[in-house]
Amino acid sequence: MFESKKYAPSEEFVRNSNLTKDQYEEMYKKSISDPEGFWGEQAERLTWFKKWDKVLEHDFANAKVEWFKGGKLNVAYNCLDRHLQTPAKNKAAIIWVGDKPGETRTYTYQQLHREVSLHANVLKRFGIKRGDRVLIYLPMIPELAIFALACTRIGAVHSVVFGGFSPESLQSRIDDAKPSLIVTSDAGFRGGRIIDMKKNIDEALQ
């Protein structure tokens, strides 16, 4: 039942790749020999509202590590907003395939930005603000990613819980996170069966 084979990529695939093997090896070596220089260089690819004062500050003896200290950015902005003034706004950001054959949804960056903004306002309407914790217990649907991005948009902390977890497993996650809000659905499909997600949440809360 065990077979070991190697399949080389096609020449066309190699030609169109972002990195050659040599470039990858060079980057890897730099990440080991000069982690601050390497990650500082990679961080320039993001949009920062305020640039960091120091790439890395660490005290391993006390298990304290801080990256990009003093820097400020927003995950949702980097995932979505910065693409809206480019041709990428009309490209697919999420291509979702459901549990049932033929069930698909596609969101461009522009469409996803709108959905994330709408969902962020829903969270705010429920009183969620920066620093609050939100627990997300959803099936594998686009709304899972949308709510996660909506949380990052307004500065809320989100905890994504696996959609197949039982009430007992949910209970420990809820106790740990102590969320101000739980986002779930009535039910979800997984492997052809229905998971009663709202019932699981209700039992966990009890």
Side-chain angles (χ1 to χ4, degrees):
M1 296 298 291
F2 180 78
E3 188 177 2
S4 179
K5 283 186 180 180
K6 287 185 178 180
Y7 297 90
S10 67
E11 289 183 10
E12 183 186 4
F13 185 88
V14 172
R15 276 198 309 272
N16 293 325
S17 63
N18 290 323
L19 291 174
T20 65
K21 184 181 178 183
D22 290 340
Q23 287 171 323
Y24 171 79
E25 293 292 345
E26 187 180 331
M27 288 177 70
Y28 175 72
K29 285 174 185 174
K30 185 174 181 181
S31 74
I32 300 300
S33 63
D34 179 19
E36 289 186 51
F38 175 80
W39 289 111
E41 192 178 298
Q42 299 308 309
E44 293 286 359
R45 298 164 62 187
L46 298 173
T47 300
W48 293 80
F49 299 151
K50 179 182 178 295
K51 197 168 179 181
W52 59 88
D53 301 316
K54 194 171 183 182
V55 172
L56 174 62
E57 194 169 282
H58 60 81
D59 177 5
F60 289 126
N62 294 303
K64 186 179 179 182
V65 179
E66 293 180 276
W67 286 93
F68 305 107
K69 192 171 181 179
K72 289 185 180 180
L73 54 67
N74 184 276
V75 172
Y77 186 94
N78 274 278
C79 287
L80 302 170
D81 299 60
R82 67 179 183 151
H83 300 299
L84 298 183
Q85 304 305 318
T86 73
K89 70 179 183 180
N90 295 316
K91 290 188 175 182
I94 289 181
I95 301 172
W96 175 79
V97 179
D99 206 59
K100 296 177 181 177
E103 188 181 25
T104 63
R105 273 194 274 168
T106 301
Y107 293 86
T108 65
Y109 282 95
Q110 194 166 32
Q111 290 169 332
L112 188 59
H113 174 267
R114 183 174 185 276
E115 289 298 319
V116 168
S117 298
L118 287 170
H119 285 65
N121 282 324
V122 168
L123 293 174
K124 287 163 73 175
R125 200 168 293 168
F126 275 94
I128 299 302
K129 59 189 182 302
R130 182 178 176 180
D132 286 346
R133 293 180 294 279
V134 176
L135 188 135
I136 302 171
Y137 176 64
L138 287 171
M140 295 295 286
I141 54 176
E143 284 75 15
L144 193 158
I146 289 168
F147 266 114
L149 284 166
C151 287
T152 66
R153 189 164 196 83
I154 62 177
V157 179
H158 67 277
S159 171
V160 178
V161 177
F162 171 54
F165 272 173
S166 65
E168 292 75 24
S169 298
L170 268 167
Q171 181 190 337
S172 65
R173 270 79 181 170
I174 293 168
D175 285 341
D176 286 342
K178 294 182 173 54
S180 302
L181 182 74
I182 296 174
V183 178
T184 191
S185 61
D186 291 334
F189 291 102
R190 189 170 190 87
R193 63 191 183 94
I194 296 175
I195 298 172
D196 197 337
M197 307 190 80
K198 179 63 167 60
K199 182 183 175 185
N200 286 348
I201 284 287
D202 289 341
E203 286 185 25
L205 290 173
Q206 286 297 320

